[in-house]
Amino acid sequence: MQNRTDLALESFEAEGKTALDGVIVREENGVTTVDVVNENGAAAIGKPVGRYITLEVNSFVNDTDIFDGRLEDFSAILRPLLPEESGSILIAGLGNTNITADALGPKTGEYILSTRHIINDLKRTFDAENIASVACVATGVLGDTGIETAEIIRGVASQIEPSCVIVVDALAASSAERLGTTVQFSDSGISPGSGVGNHRHEISRSTLGVPVISVGIPTVVSVAAINRAIGSGAYVTPREIDRIIQQGAKLIGMGINVALQPHLSARDIYALVG
């Protein structure tokens, strides 16, 4: 059984880290970039054409302070993925709040500074004209809403007309060492549930008409990856998953804020959302 993973880096590593036609890999200071540049590369690692950036972080299990430089590292990766002319930004938290390992997206929404409804007040309060207009939505899951996540995002996007959509979702890994220690960014969009074999409708530029950036943290690993003698399709999560989700959501939410609101200090933003 081939282990499923949402991480492009793991998909590349599964091919023995050999040179692959259509795949370019670069690594520097704990950041690995996998560029899938054509359909040959996409077929080779099973990921759509696009850029996938993996940031290695200290385990969220022992995480206590986000003001240690990681927010700047996070925002430095996210900013170049954003369109040059950014109007309003829509952030969508994907996942199920009733399942801890799948709650990263909605939990991240708790740390997002949504400004669309109060943008003029913020400009006056902080004496800053360059406040980005940000809206945030938690999509829920199909089993509860009866609506595909992609349909919800498409409906909201049609009303507020964002220049970019950022989706946040929990990911699956094929290595237990990457649970809660890795953040993946991608400009290729996302197919929710693909890492665990539960493919839903794609959320991407081709389906929404605007750039889609995905951000996620691996929270589950297949049983087969841990014990290859067991050919099970089941997935497991670490016992510290509550801590990983809480601290991971804080880093992603605040990292997005810092990237989108460079004219506000990280501590001012945290005072507004934390």
Side-chain angles (χ1 to χ4, degrees):
M1 174 183 172
Q2 183 177 0
N3 297 321
R4 300 186 180 101
T5 178
D6 288 310
L7 300 180
L9 177 58
E10 287 189 330
S11 296
F12 174 75
E13 290 173 342
E15 298 301 318
K17 294 186 178 180
T18 58
L20 297 176
D21 179 26
V23 180
I24 302 171
V25 179
R26 303 184 305 278
E27 183 176 357
E28 183 178 2
N29 298 326
V31 177
T32 303
T33 301
V34 177
D35 284 315
V36 181
V37 299
N38 58 35
E39 293 304 324
N40 288 338
I45 67 171
K47 303 296 177 188
V49 170
R51 173 162 292 181
Y52 302 82
I53 304 173
T54 302
L55 171 66
E56 296 179 9
V57 296
N58 293 330
S59 174
F60 292 115
V61 174
N62 301 315
D63 184 24
T64 57
D65 180 16
I66 61 172
F67 300 104
D68 59 358
R70 281 175 298 160
L71 292 178
E72 289 71 24
D73 293 341
F74 184 104
S75 62
I77 294 172
L78 179 58
R79 280 195 188 109
L81 299 177
L82 296 168
E84 290 186 8
E85 297 296 328
S86 293
S88 63
I89 304 293
L90 173 62
I91 299 165
L94 281 54
N96 189 342
T97 56
N98 295 318
I99 301 175
T100 303
D102 194 36
L104 181 68
K107 283 290 184 182
T108 295
E110 298 177 6
Y111 294 96
I112 294 297
L113 179 60
S114 297
T115 62
R116 183 172 178 266
H117 58 310
I118 55 171
I119 192 165
N120 290 328
D121 292 335
L122 288 175
K123 287 180 179 179
R124 286 193 296 270
T125 299
F126 291 97
D127 192 24
E129 284 299 314
N130 297 315
I131 303 293
S133 176
V134 178
C136 182
V137 61
T139 63
V141 291
L142 179 64
D144 291 334
T145 66
I147 310 171
E148 286 280 358
T149 297
E151 293 174 326
I152 293 174
I153 296 175
R154 188 162 56 245
V156 174
S158 70
Q159 293 298 310
I160 69 174
E161 299 182 340
S163 60
C164 178
V165 175
I166 300 174
V167 294
V168 181
D169 198 12
L171 307 178
S174 63
S175 168
E177 287 73 24
R178 286 201 167 99
L179 300 182
T181 63
T182 302
V183 183
Q184 177 174 268
F185 305 75
S186 175
D187 64 2
S188 67
I190 191 172
S191 294
S194 60
V196 294
N198 182 29
H199 294 263
R200 308 310 312 171
H201 292 186
E202 178 183 303
I203 304 166
S204 65
R205 181 193 284 266
S206 64
T207 61
L208 297 184
V210 296
V212 176
I213 300 167
S214 65
V215 184
I217 294 170
T219 61
V220 297
V221 64
S222 69
V223 171
I226 298 172
N227 187 344
R228 298 186 183 279
I230 302 176
S232 170
Y235 287 77
V236 296
T237 193
R239 61 185 179 183
E240 304 90 353
I241 188 60
D242 296 83
R243 182 73 174 170
I244 290 172
I245 292 297
Q246 187 63 42
Q247 296 302 109
K250 184 186 294 186
L251 175 66
I252 292 178
M254 282 297 299
I256 290 173
N257 292 335
V258 170
L260 297 181
Q261 311 290 359
H263 301 284
L264 300 180
S265 75
R267 292 191 182 275
D268 281 344
I269 294 172
Y270 191 66
L272 293 171
V273 303

